[in-house]
Amino acid sequence: DAMVIQNPRYQVTQFGKPVTLSCSQTLNHNVMYWYQQKSSQAPKLLFHYYDKDFNNEADTPDNFQSRRPNTSFCFLDIRSPGLGDAAMYLCATSDLRGRGDGYTFGSGTRLTVV
Amino acid sequence: EDQVTQSPEALRLQEGESSSLNCSYTVSGLRGLFWYRQDPGKGPEFLFTLYSAGEEKEKERLKATLTKKESFLHITAPKPEDSATYLCAVQAPTLTGGGNKLTFGTGTQLKVEL
């Protein structure tokens, strides 16, 4: 089945040590999103790619960067993780039809910072 | 700024005890209100999309309704397998880059007991 796959499912990193999270899709969707979800909080949009165009949310810290080398892959880079960056990171794609079932979410990567 | 508020934060029901979850929203240029189900450690799973006031959608024991300011998710005769966090999200245009984005509420954590 076509889907959105995030790797790894669980990531433990040291305080200040750069870490990269991966997302791949087989849906050929134009748009890819990265959301941060802390415990008992709403998923919060960090940034999205519309094709190759990168769009940052105004309040996303500079510590977070992203790369989309091709349609299928998107990476989230955290340059210097702090304890406050521990969260579930969700990748999603959209087919631009504007329907709820047009968004597909990955299972997430749970990041722990020690 | 788009805002989504869900209540209650947590809800405990006995099997068969019907209830409703609330989602109130303020958004510029609503392009749909979505309900998702999220199980622990997983990404959101799509349930419903509502586009205009007065619209209703049903799926098994769930029914979603929409007014100009809020949406309700009614759960009729719930079963333990309905236990999950239910997220509400509004879709609106992105400020940059074209396309749409989802703004989520913090969710209602539902627990259905035997």
Side-chain angles (χ1 to χ4, degrees):
Chain A
D1 280 350
M3 54 176 42
V4 177
I5 299 170
Q6 292 188 243
N7 284 304
R9 287 297 309 277
Y10 302 93
Q11 175 74 56
V12 180
T13 191
Q14 290 181 338
F15 183 95
K17 184 175 181 182
V19 65
T20 295
L21 309 183
S22 167
C23 177
S24 64
Q25 57 136 337
T26 58
L27 298 156
N28 208 34
H29 283 173
N30 296 88
V31 191
M32 295 186 77
Y33 306 84
W34 279 104
Y35 282 87
Q36 179 194 61
Q37 186 177 24
K38 295 185 178 180
S39 182
S40 300
Q41 293 188 22
K44 179 180 178 298
L45 183 63
L46 295 173
F47 25 61
H48 74 279
Y49 273 94
Y50 189 135
D51 292 326
K52 293 185 179 180
D53 293 332
F54 175 73
N55 300 277
N56 207 21
E57 292 299 295
D59 56 355
T60 298
D62 292 339
N63 198 25
F64 291 87
Q65 304 286 321
S66 185
R67 297 170 283 135
R68 190 179 185 185
N70 53 53
T71 301
S72 301
F73 285 88
C74 196
F75 300 97
L76 170 62
D77 300 309
I78 308 177
R79 292 192 296 188
S80 182
L83 297 178
D85 297 326
M88 172 78 88
Y89 290 87
L90 295 166
C91 174
T93 69
S94 168
D95 63 3
L96 295 177
R97 290 178 299 159
R99 290 168 36 173
D101 60 356
Y103 290 86
T104 303
F105 284 84
S107 295
T109 294
R110 170 75 65 186
L111 178 68
T112 300
V113 181
V114 297
Chain B
E1 185 180 329
D2 303 337
Q3 287 197 336
V4 180
T5 303
Q6 292 188 247
S7 63
E9 288 184 10
L11 182 62
R12 222 178 184 110
L13 298 174
Q14 296 295 313
E15 185 176 13
E17 179 187 2
S18 301
S19 188
S20 296
L21 314 182
N22 177 263
C23 170
S24 60
Y25 64 91
T26 55
V27 62
S28 301
L30 179 69
R31 292 182 177 177
L33 184 139
F34 304 147
W35 282 98
Y36 287 88
R37 170 187 172 132
Q38 187 175 28
D39 292 298
K42 295 190 175 180
E45 175 189 337
F46 172 73
L47 294 173
F48 302 109
T49 307
L50 302 166
Y51 291 103
S52 56
E55 191 174 357
E56 299 182 352
K57 294 272 179 74
E58 279 189 74
K59 180 180 178 181
E60 295 181 356
R61 295 178 291 281
L62 300 177
K63 179 180 175 180
T65 62
L66 182 66
T67 72
K68 288 185 178 179
K69 293 183 179 179
E70 58 190 349
S71 177
F72 292 93
L73 183 66
H74 307 278
I75 303 176
T76 303
K79 298 182 177 182
E81 53 262 42
D82 295 322
S83 298
T85 295
Y86 290 85
L87 294 169
C88 171
V90 295
Q91 178 177 237
T94 55
L95 293 177
T96 60
N100 299 308
K101 68 173 185 178
L102 298 179
T103 299
F104 284 89
T106 53
T108 293
Q109 194 171 347
L110 174 66
K111 174 82 171 170
V112 182
E113 298 170 333
L114 291 170

